[in-house]
Amino acid sequence: MRQDFNPFILTGYTTPEYFCNRENETKRLIKNIKNQQNTTLFALRRLGKTGLIKHVFHRLQAEKKVVCIYIDLYATRNLGDFANLLANAVYQAYPEKKQFAKQFIDTFKSLRPIVSIDSLSGTPELSLDLSGNVKIEKTIPQLLTYLEAQNIPIVIAMDEFQQIVHYPEKNVEAILRTKIQELQNCHFIFSGSHQAMMVEIFHHVKRPFYNSTTPINLTKIDAASYHSFIKKMFEKYKYTITDESIDYVLEWTDRFTYHVQAVCHHLFADGDKKITLEKTQALCLEVLKQQEHIYFQYRNLLTDTQWQLLKAFANEETVTQPYTKKFILKYQLGSAAIVKRSLEALVTKEMIYYDASSPAPYYAVNDKFLMRWLQRLPK
Ligand SMILES: Nc1ncnc2c1ncn2[C@@H]1O[C@H](COP(=O)(O)OP(=O)(O)O)[C@@H](O)[C@H]1O
Ligand SMILES: [Mg+2]
């Protein structure tokens, strides 16, 4: 066992050992893939969508029956970016097959593929030249046709898929949908955080993706299994942690996966092998202190009313009715019209989210550390 290793992973995915639960969701995703169904994976940010996809891929790759391709569309701005990302991911998916790489490059010769070494990771990266007369709307379908022709089952995860709504090209959904419905060997996971937008894409009758996928709504990991996971991880490395400490972490982070992982990561890194409630509480404050300079910057980036509203939401933790007199008076927010405008701005900036999947839909502060920090400010 490596002693320099922190079992609370903060970025990416390592192995199932350090991954908590998600057994049902994993089973459902694998079942969909094996039954040639496309899945839409919805969840609020930082609950673990990307982690779940990587976990499922880890399982599938062990079986060696399916080729897994992952792309994250978050930073893409147009169809060209998308095409390049997909081309590179396809190229990366077959690293051991020299023959494949050559064939791939030959097929896409007209797009002048260039393989260069990424200066940060040191791995070969492929990019296409999509300037000039290239019909970009044909490139993604061509890549998919190419994959289809390999005659092996392929699963392609498109993470942060809602990003396509922002592309300047108008017909992205239709281009994708038309191609995707022809494919027999390629199956898809569309994953996205911006719930309202994902619902638009996949549940709106007039949209091309309407009713074409099986939805999975990822919620928080249940408290009991997260509790025993945390205990097990600490004990494995000869730490002791009290049950009340674990409960405190789960409550203080609102059980958002990233935030739970981050607090546990720091508790572990701290090195003190006896973790008490007092120590846990002190560490949580330390985490807020480390972020404080960023939070002060947020204040400069927001208007006064947006800031007041953000503080109000932090204090309430969840708000089902932000336009009532009672709420507006309590926090001296002016009028319903002002609240509406500020709230829209905060949602667009992704500082506040709207959870529409809950039985009583509500608004809340996106970053639970920011929420805890705001709660400590003078009223
Ligand atoms: N089931 C899990 N067990 C342990 N850590 C997880 C789990 N799911 C996600 N994580 C970790 O939580 C953090 C946030 O998860 P991520 O998958 O990036 O969320 P999302 O993609 O929904 O924004 C990451 O650091 C990830 O490694
Ligand atoms: Mg993600």
Side-chain angles (χ1 to χ4, degrees):
M1 199 188 309
R2 282 164 55 189
Q3 281 302 332
D4 57 345
F5 177 78
N6 193 317
F8 297 99
I9 310 299
L10 280 188
T11 45
Y13 178 80
T14 52
T15 57
E17 208 181 340
Y18 305 103
F19 194 73
C20 175
N21 196 328
R22 295 299 191 206
E23 282 167 26
N24 283 332
E25 294 89 346
T26 303
K27 264 194 216 132
R28 284 175 63 196
L29 260 169
I30 291 180
K31 182 171 154 229
N32 288 354
I33 292 163
K34 294 199 167 163
N35 289 283
Q36 294 95 38
Q37 276 172 26
N38 298 331
T39 306
T40 321
L41 183 62
F42 298 97
L44 298 170
R45 284 180 67 184
R46 300 179 172 200
L47 277 187
K49 289 177 299 298
T50 305
L52 176 62
I53 294 172
K54 298 279 166 87
H55 185 61
V56 165
F57 278 12
H58 189 273
R59 287 254 177 107
L60 291 172
Q61 275 158 341
E63 291 180 20
K64 293 192 191 310
K65 285 185 193 144
V66 184
V67 172
C68 300
I69 294 177
Y70 171 88
I71 56 174
D72 179 356
L73 298 174
Y74 194 69
T76 62
R77 303 199 158 254
N78 51 47
L79 258 189
D81 287 353
F82 186 158
N84 251 319
L85 207 61
L86 183 61
N88 182 46
V90 172
Y91 178 75
Q92 303 294 343
Y94 299 85
E96 75 282 22
K97 293 197 188 89
K98 275 214 172 98
Q99 184 56 30
F100 172 87
K102 190 177 168 307
Q103 181 199 10
F104 179 83
I105 289 175
D106 281 350
T107 312
F108 290 93
K109 217 164 38 211
S110 64
L111 299 173
R112 287 186 292 242
I114 297 167
V115 178
S116 53
I117 304 296
D118 181 85
S119 57
L120 286 177
S121 63
T123 50
E125 300 263 326
L126 178 125
S127 61
L128 304 175
D129 180 0
L130 300 173
S131 59
N133 289 331
V134 175
K135 288 206 164 52
I136 295 181
E137 66 279 8
K138 296 231 167 99
T139 311
I140 293 171
Q142 276 166 353
L143 285 163
L144 295 174
T145 305
Y146 179 82
L147 284 177
E148 179 76 2
Q150 303 303 307
N151 263 326
I152 34 167
I154 297 175
V155 50
I156 305 171
M158 298 188 172
D159 208 353
E160 304 292 351
F161 186 68
Q162 77 281 345
Q163 196 60 28
I164 64 164
V165 173
H166 300 296
Y167 292 175
E169 295 88 355
K170 291 279 167 292
N171 48 352
V172 184
E173 284 171 52
I175 293 170
L176 288 172
R177 172 82 178 111
T178 310
K179 186 68 212 170
I180 285 170
Q181 66 189 4
E182 287 173 7
L183 304 172
Q184 301 293 324
N185 300 324
C186 301
H187 299 287
F188 294 82
I189 300 168
F190 302 103
S191 158
S193 321
H194 214 304
Q195 215 171 6
M197 227 170 251
M198 289 291 280
V199 169
E200 268 280 292
I201 300 174
F202 291 95
H203 293 298
H204 200 293
V205 192
K206 288 193 181 142
R207 295 304 257 290
F209 275 93
Y210 177 68
N211 248 352
S212 64
T213 66
T214 308
I216 295 182
N217 197 352
L218 196 68
T219 53
K220 296 173 188 176
I221 296 173
D222 75 274
S225 62
Y226 223 156
H227 188 114
S228 51
F229 173 83
I230 294 169
K231 207 173 176 77
K232 199 172 86 192
M233 286 298 132
F234 277 116
E235 285 175 352
K236 187 173 164 186
Y237 290 85
K238 309 273 182 287
Y239 284 63
T240 57
I241 180 164
T242 61
D243 287 332
E244 55 178 2
S245 306
I246 302 178
D247 291 337
Y248 182 83
V249 173
L250 294 175
E251 207 268 328
W252 192 77
T253 55
D254 196 16
R255 236 186 314 130
F256 267 61
T257 314
Y258 169 78
H259 300 83
V260 175
Q261 292 291 118
V263 171
C264 291
H265 184 96
H266 291 301
L267 275 172
F268 188 95
D270 211 43
D272 187 347
K273 300 233 159 172
K274 239 180 126 179
I275 304 171
T276 59
L277 181 61
E278 292 69 38
K279 181 169 168 54
T280 307
Q281 287 169 333
L283 183 120
C284 287
L285 292 185
E286 195 53 43
V287 170
L288 298 187
K289 242 201 158 87
Q290 279 172 16
Q291 303 290 323
E292 196 165 56
H293 63 288
I294 303 174
Y295 301 153
F296 278 123
Q297 277 184 10
Y298 288 161
R299 193 177 60 187
N300 297 334
L301 293 170
L302 300 178
T303 66
D304 278 348
T305 19
Q306 288 166 3
W307 184 251
Q308 289 311 326
L309 189 63
L310 190 64
K311 264 173 72 178
F313 277 102
N315 281 305
E316 294 288 315
E317 301 196 4
T318 61
V319 178
T320 48
Q321 295 183 316
Y323 304 121
T324 56
K325 262 212 180 89
K326 193 168 155 232
F327 178 72
I328 293 171
L329 275 178
K330 182 171 173 190
Y331 293 100
Q332 299 175 357
L333 297 165
S335 67
I338 295 175
V339 170
K340 185 163 190 294
R341 205 174 332 125
S342 304
L343 181 53
E344 279 167 7
L346 291 172
V347 170
T348 307
K349 291 178 203 291
E350 295 198 33
M351 307 212 60
I352 299 269
Y353 63 85
Y354 182 62
D355 188 349
S357 66
S358 157
Y362 62 87
Y363 292 93
V365 177
N366 216 317
D367 180 341
K368 299 303 165 187
F369 292 157
L370 174 61
M371 179 183 88
R372 293 298 179 206
W373 184 80
L374 288 165
Q375 287 173 348
R376 300 175 56 81
L377 292 181
K379 295 272 169 344

